[in-house]
Amino acid sequence: RVLMTIDEEREPEDIEFSKTGDLLVATLQDSHEVAFLDLVALSGKTSASDADLKIVSLPKNALGQDAWPDGITAFVDGKGIEYFATANEANDTITLLDAVGSIGSNLEILARDIPADYPRDGSWGPLFRPDSIDDMRWNGRSYLTVTLKASGAVGIWDVSDVKKPKFVETVKVGDKEGATRDEESTVLPEGISTSATLGAILTANEGESSVSLILATP
């Protein structure tokens, strides 16, 4: 059944359940927002109304660019508290939000974090274009893994402390990169999935028609 129809000008892009399954959260790309829908409050209702939906605006980056959020994932921090993270393609940021929509951190992907020889776009604003995002709990730490589409890479952040997230590393994916430093990647990683059991990160590389596997260090 249709729970709710969101204004078409907002363009819902990606959607995620909370770990407990009682909350549904979606990125609204064209309006630079995130929508929170409380599934417990909907119990017994045939559809949702505006009163059941909370809309949160995502912050701009330091240059004043809007977010244009793409992927979203749920994760728990080092204290076991649940948060959500969005990959914001148009302003090279990752936003961390708690379960009621309050913004904890807005991480800007910095040029110094990306090796100088990796591709980067910039033709319409963003250099690295974070696209899809997933979480992974590994060796007692909480991580976010993000495809950097324009750079043909994956960025990894430690978010065990959401107030002080830390950049970990950038890993190149794909078999053969055909772009230079000043061009968009030809690999174009988009989808991402992780396995904490295996310590593995998988990316679906749209431009190269390939899948890459990254294994975490024990």
Side-chain angles (χ1 to χ4, degrees):
R1 64 190 174 98
V2 176
L3 287 177
M4 188 172 191
T5 300
I6 296 176
D7 186 337
E8 64 181 10
E9 293 182 358
R10 283 188 153 117
E11 191 184 346
E13 183 72 18
D14 197 13
I15 195 164
E16 175 84 340
F17 280 103
S18 63
K19 300 293 187 184
T20 55
D22 57 0
L23 191 64
L24 197 60
V25 187
T27 51
L28 307 179
Q29 190 169 83
D30 284 5
S31 56
H32 318 293
E33 298 168 322
V34 177
F36 287 75
L37 186 61
D38 187 341
L39 299 179
V40 174
L42 289 179
S43 179
K45 296 183 180 181
T46 57
S47 63
S49 67
D50 288 346
D52 299 309
L53 192 66
K54 181 175 183 178
I55 303 290
V56 177
S57 295
L58 294 176
K60 299 176 185 291
N61 66 7
L63 297 176
Q65 297 167 319
D66 286 315
W68 215 49
D70 206 312
I72 187 168
T73 192
F75 71 96
V76 293
D77 70 356
K79 298 178 181 179
I81 300 172
E82 183 168 57
Y83 290 86
F84 296 87
T86 64
N88 306 321
E89 188 172 7
N91 69 1
D92 283 340
T93 65
I94 300 160
T95 304
L96 312 184
L97 308 99
D98 66 17
V100 296
S102 298
I103 295 173
S105 297
N106 197 50
L107 313 180
E108 295 208 22
I109 301 171
L110 303 175
R112 68 180 183 224
D113 296 333
I114 312 300
D117 59 341
Y118 281 22
R120 55 203 69 204
D121 186 8
S123 61
W124 55 280
L127 294 176
F128 314 113
R129 301 223 316 270
D131 189 278
S132 297
I133 186 168
D134 202 8
D135 71 303
M136 186 167 71
R137 185 81 176 167
W138 178 251
N139 284 347
R141 309 291 297 178
S142 297
Y143 297 96
L144 293 175
T145 63
V146 184
T147 53
L148 306 179
K149 192 170 181 178
S151 293
V154 170
I156 302 172
W157 283 262
D158 186 330
V159 288
S160 302
D161 182 348
V162 296
K163 297 298 183 183
K164 297 180 180 179
K166 298 177 181 178
F167 171 75
V168 177
E169 64 177 319
T170 307
V171 181
K172 195 75 179 72
V173 297
D175 181 47
K176 185 178 181 181
E177 180 60 70
T180 67
R181 181 195 182 280
D182 298 315
E183 300 174 304
E184 178 185 66
S185 169
T186 59
V187 177
L188 297 179
E190 189 155 328
I192 192 167
S193 185
T194 64
S195 169
T197 303
L198 300 175
I201 303 168
L202 282 170
T203 66
N205 306 320
E206 183 180 36
E208 191 177 69
S209 295
S210 67
V211 173
S212 293
L213 171 65
I214 301 167
L215 295 176
T217 302

